[in-house]
Amino acid sequence: MTLRLYWKDPYLWRFTARVVEETIHQGQPAVILDRTAFYPAGGGQPSDRGTLNGIPMREVVEREEDGAILHLLERPLRAQEAEGIVDRERRFDHMQQHTGQHILSQAFLRVAGAQTISFHIGHEVVTIDLETADLPEAVAEAAEELANRVVVENREVRTWWVGEEEVETLGLRRSPSVEGPIRIVEVADFDRNPCGGTHVRRTGEVGPIKILRWERRGGGVRVSFLCGWRALRDYQGKHRRLLQAARLLSAGEADLTEAVQALQRELKEAQRNLSLLQEVYVEETLLTLEREAFAAPFGELVIHVWAQLPPGLLPRLARRLSASGPRLVILAAGGSAGLLAVACGPGIPVSAQEVLERIRSRLGFSGGGGRSDYAQAPLPLAISMADLHRIIEQIREELAGRGAESASSSS
Ligand SMILES: [Zn+2]
């Protein structure tokens, strides 16, 4: 079994050890030392990183059979002795999060009687699962407040070992999940918990503890939070985004909510006006297009091309025009939301799909589709309006025949 130096001194960043075994673990070169300062993944705390004789560490795990600590390396060590250097920033972050978690868990127990049933230090956020049906905002705030007070009081964090028989007398927050000697982590006069993790010396080192959000999970509540440097980085990022948003809205940061609400109201009003205008436009345009309709052997032919039109209007116009009689309607609009729409009213002997395909193949693009009464295709930006006019005019002549051609004002 490897001697775990991090239990006695979690601030040991550099150490030397004797190599006990070099092996392969899950296809990777692995080393077992007689002692180590590298924490292996476990108890919600991720494993350490760093180097052994300069070789980067991929993972640190505990071997189930004998509790030996396996250091998985990028390449074989091939040495009798090793100097280990622990990635200090990563480990200290884990110490801040882990001690912060002990404090916050005790705070939830005191404020809401909510026991912590699991804990996880993630890459981004830290979570605890609370044994409680719900978590009112005021309770979360009270727990956060209490936790931060314990941080500011800079209480001592102490660890020691006890025998199983002593456990009952210690008033632990949770019962131990392992047998044999138990390691106790104590936040002075506040919390005592069995734990094998690495912790800071005094609560002041934890830094700010900030709850981010919580959600129901199974029968309990999962709370996401950050401690220390993570909390500060999060605050910096949020503050930067808040200032950017305030600048974009020409508002003070305190008035941001009101500014967004005002913007939402304005947008709603503008959308209402826009749809009113579109109603008027559709009705006026229908009248105009009906007046411009060409006579054709099968009924009427309505053709119109716009340089640009808001999306949605074209299909609406085409359907309305074709609904009221034997009309073949071909409408097109260019621009970024360009569209070609063909609609066939009752009694029209050709299908909208066929007409669409004829126009499409002559203009040389594909896409879109539809049924016999209505078909549409997005118009590629590369199609010139002049080409579009020319092709549609050709189709018109073919469909309308000579009689209609003389009725056209454009010929
Ligand atoms: Zn712990």
Side-chain angles (χ1 to χ4, degrees):
M1 204 154 127
T2 318
L3 179 68
R4 297 162 191 241
L5 300 170
Y6 53 81
W7 272 339
K8 194 156 179 259
D9 182 7
Y11 294 82
L12 183 67
W13 313 118
R14 188 185 278 259
F15 67 100
T16 53
R18 200 168 49 76
V19 176
V20 173
E21 187 184 331
E22 280 213 51
T23 178
I24 298 287
H25 184 79
Q26 289 171 350
Q28 291 188 73
V31 172
I32 295 168
L33 306 171
D34 64 339
R35 48 191 221 141
T36 187
F38 286 100
Y39 183 83
Q45 184 179 328
S47 62
D48 283 336
R49 293 291 179 274
T51 57
L52 269 187
N53 288 357
I55 302 169
M57 188 85 57
R58 282 226 172 108
E59 184 56 91
V60 188
V61 292
E62 193 177 318
R63 190 159 64 185
E64 260 181 52
E65 307 93 87
D66 59 358
I69 294 175
L70 287 157
H71 305 79
L72 310 189
L73 299 172
E74 266 186 17
R75 52 181 195 274
L77 186 74
R78 294 197 180 104
Q80 304 293 312
E81 298 268 317
E83 186 192 38
I85 297 174
V86 177
D87 179 336
R88 186 174 174 156
E89 212 166 300
R90 177 182 164 97
R91 157 69 84 67
F92 187 69
D93 168 60
H94 295 162
M95 284 156 69
Q96 283 188 316
Q97 309 310 318
H98 200 155
T99 308
Q101 176 262 316
H102 280 216
I103 296 169
L104 189 61
S105 285
Q106 178 62 247
F108 270 117
L109 194 59
R110 290 192 185 200
V111 168
Q115 181 67 260
T116 296
I117 46 175
S118 69
F119 147 64
H120 176 70
I121 298 180
H123 188 61
E124 310 233 308
V125 298
V126 187
T127 59
I128 48 174
D129 289 337
L130 294 177
E131 216 171 24
T132 181
D134 66 334
L135 180 57
E137 195 168 349
V139 172
E141 258 176 37
E144 187 180 88
E145 187 95 12
L146 173 58
N148 279 285
R149 193 172 312 138
V150 170
V151 167
V152 171
E153 285 164 357
N154 201 21
R155 297 177 187 226
E156 191 186 353
V157 180
R158 208 162 62 89
T159 62
W160 73 94
W161 291 84
V162 297
E164 270 175 288
E165 64 291 345
E166 224 186 302
V167 162
E168 292 296 316
T169 65
L170 290 171
L172 300 182
R173 173 157 51 79
R174 292 184 68 194
S175 308
S177 56
V178 291
E179 286 173 9
I182 304 296
R183 185 170 181 259
I184 305 295
V185 175
E186 180 193 70
V187 174
D189 302 322
F190 187 69
D191 182 60
R192 265 185 199 163
N193 198 45
C195 176
T198 54
H199 291 270
V200 295
R201 278 172 292 222
R202 301 194 77 91
T203 58
E205 289 182 57
V206 170
I209 299 176
K210 183 74 195 91
I211 294 173
L212 300 179
R213 57 188 169 267
W214 58 92
E215 68 217 341
R216 278 167 202 261
R217 189 89 175 195
V221 170
R222 173 164 293 181
V223 179
S224 300
F225 65 98
L226 298 173
C227 304
W229 291 112
R230 282 198 198 197
L232 182 68
R233 305 267 180 268
D234 182 62
Y235 181 32
Q236 287 169 334
K238 280 175 177 154
H239 192 65
R240 194 165 47 239
R241 290 192 288 279
L242 183 83
L243 290 181
Q244 279 169 350
R247 213 174 301 133
L248 284 172
L249 293 169
S250 307
E253 50 181 290
D255 310 320
L256 201 56
T257 310
E258 287 74 18
V260 170
Q261 283 166 340
L263 203 64
Q264 283 176 329
R265 278 195 301 274
E266 280 169 35
L267 182 65
K268 224 171 166 181
E269 179 70 13
Q271 280 167 336
R272 212 173 59 86
N273 285 335
L274 179 66
S275 68
L276 273 174
L277 273 174
Q278 286 191 346
E279 284 306 317
V280 173
Y281 179 79
V282 165
E283 297 309 320
E284 295 282 333
T285 307
L286 284 172
L287 291 175
T288 310
L289 293 179
E290 275 168 6
R291 272 200 302 272
E292 287 175 359
F294 301 100
F298 47 77
E300 279 185 322
L301 187 57
V302 179
I303 289 179
H304 199 89
V305 175
W306 289 265
Q308 232 172 332
L309 212 57
L313 280 187
L314 209 67
R316 222 165 124 192
L317 286 166
R319 285 180 190 280
R320 286 279 300 274
L321 283 163
S322 64
S324 53
R327 281 196 190 119
L328 171 58
V329 183
I330 304 172
L331 304 179
S336 55
L339 193 74
L340 173 66
V342 180
C344 293
I348 295 294
V350 290
S351 110
Q353 250 176 321
E354 278 170 39
V355 178
L356 182 83
E357 180 46 38
R358 267 161 84 174
I359 303 172
R360 230 171 22 187
S361 66
R362 285 186 211 184
L363 282 167
F365 73 97
S366 56
R371 295 184 317 203
S372 61
D373 61 336
Y374 180 82
Q376 67 174 42
L379 212 51
L381 266 171
I383 305 282
S384 81
M385 292 314 274
D387 282 348
L388 186 63
H389 273 286
R390 189 170 49 78
I391 300 297
I392 288 183
E393 189 60 21
Q394 275 177 17
I395 302 274
R396 185 187 70 77
E397 282 171 14
E398 288 163 23
L399 288 168
R402 285 192 175 278
E405 202 178 83
S406 57
S408 160
S409 54
S410 61
S411 57

